[in-house]
Amino acid sequence: MPEIQNTLIRIADAARLSRQGVSRAVYAAIYEAGAPWCIGRHQPVVAEWEASGAFAGAVCDIGCGPGDNAFFLAGRGHAVTGIDYVEQVVLAARRDPRQAQSPVRFLQADILDAGLTLGPFDTILDSGTFHGFSDAERQRYAARLAALLRPGGRLLLLAFAAAESRPGGPRRVSEGELRQTFPAPDWGIERIREAAIEARIFDGRAAALAAEILRR
Ligand SMILES: C[S@@+](CC[C@H](N)C(=O)[O-])C[C@H]1O[C@@H](n2cnc3c(N)ncnc32)[C@H](O)[C@@H]1O
C-alpha cells in the first residue's frame, strides 16, 4: 500500500504543479490502483449537512465516484442522481448491492460538457470534485452549475483546504478562491467552515473546507 500511495501522490502532485487539473485518464488510473478516497462509507460532513436539512428536493452528486455519499443520501429518502465521467466507476456503482435498498440514478457524463442537458436540481453535492479542476475548469464548472441548479437551490462543496500542508493530494482550495469562483449576483455564500475529508491517506483525515453556496 505505501508504494501505491507514493505513486498516487506523485500523480496528484504533477497534476497540481502543472495547473492542468486532474484528467479523466488520471482518475481512471487512480481507480485502477485503489483510490484513496474510496473509504466504503459517506463523508461525515455529508451526514452533518443531511441532518441539518441542507439537502432538499432533487439532489445531484457531481463526481460521485463509487457512490458512497449518493447511497447514503438515497437511504435518507432523497432522490439522487450521481454523475461521474469514469466509466468503470459508474458501472460498478450501478452494480453495487446498495442499489437494492437505496436506488440511485448513475450517469456517465463530463460535467464540464456544455451540451449536457440535465436537471434542474435543487441541491448539488460536490465531495472532492472541485479540487481536481484547473483555474480554467473552475470557471467552466461554475457556469455549468449555474445552469444545473434551480434558482434558490444550493451547492454543498467539500474540498481540500489550503490549511492541509502535508505533501501530496489534490489542489488546495482557499475561502477566497471559492468566493471568487462563485460570486454575486449569481451566487450567495451562506457559509464556509473548516472541516475534514476522510481518506485512506493523510492518516485518515485531511483538512478541508465545507461550503454552502446558494444559487440566486
Ligand atoms: C476525488 S473523487 C471524489 C469521489 C466522491 N465524490 C467521494 O467523495 O468519494 C472525484 C471524482 O470526480 C470525478 N470527476 C472529476 N471531474 C469530472 C468531470 N468533469 N465530470 C464528471 N466527473 C468528474 C472523478 O472521476 C472522481 O470520481
Side-chain angles (χ1 to χ4, degrees):
M1 185 65 186
E3 198 170 322
I4 293 174
Q5 282 176 1
N6 289 338
T7 306
L8 298 178
I9 286 168
R10 276 200 302 277
I11 291 169
D13 274 347
R16 186 178 69 243
L17 292 172
S18 68
R19 295 181 179 272
Q20 295 303 302
V22 183
S23 70
R24 184 196 304 227
V26 167
Y27 273 119
I30 294 175
Y31 277 118
E32 282 296 319
W37 57 84
C38 290
I39 56 172
R41 60 183 184 278
H42 58 276
Q43 290 291 334
V45 172
V46 172
E48 289 166 20
W49 274 325
E50 204 282 328
S52 74
F55 287 96
V59 174
C60 182
D61 180 1
I62 284 183
C64 60
D68 292 328
N69 295 314
F71 284 124
F72 166 75
L73 292 169
R76 288 288 189 277
H78 300 280
V80 186
T81 300
I83 299 177
D84 206 288
Y85 65 1
V86 173
E87 181 181 28
Q88 76 232 44
V89 84
V90 173
L91 294 178
R94 286 182 185 148
R95 288 194 303 264
D96 192 298
R98 289 175 287 186
Q99 281 286 19
Q101 295 300 318
S102 315
V104 172
R105 177 173 71 141
F106 286 107
L107 305 176
Q108 187 199 348
D110 183 346
I111 199 65
L112 299 180
D113 176 359
L116 186 64
T117 51
L118 266 180
F121 296 99
D122 300 286
T123 313
I124 288 182
L125 171 66
D126 174 333
S127 167
T129 303
F130 179 80
H131 63 206
F133 290 136
S134 67
D135 288 347
E137 287 170 334
R138 285 180 178 183
Q139 298 309 313
R140 285 167 57 202
Y141 185 58
R144 294 295 304 129
L145 292 191
L148 287 174
L149 259 179
R150 208 187 291 284
R154 183 180 280 124
L155 167 65
L156 302 171
L157 190 153
L158 181 64
F160 262 56
E164 181 48 75
S165 59
R166 290 171 287 183
R171 287 183 72 179
R172 306 315 199 247
V173 174
S174 69
E175 180 171 340
E177 288 169 346
L178 287 175
R179 291 186 182 279
Q180 194 176 28
T181 308
F182 300 101
D186 287 348
W187 301 96
I189 305 284
E190 292 181 299
R191 187 179 182 205
I192 299 176
R193 65 182 168 94
E194 292 178 2
I197 290 180
E198 294 196 350
R200 294 192 291 129
I201 51 177
F202 293 101
D203 298 322
R205 280 167 72 90
L209 288 181
E212 297 158 40
I213 304 173
L214 262 193
R215 171 78 174 99
R216 297 232 183 258

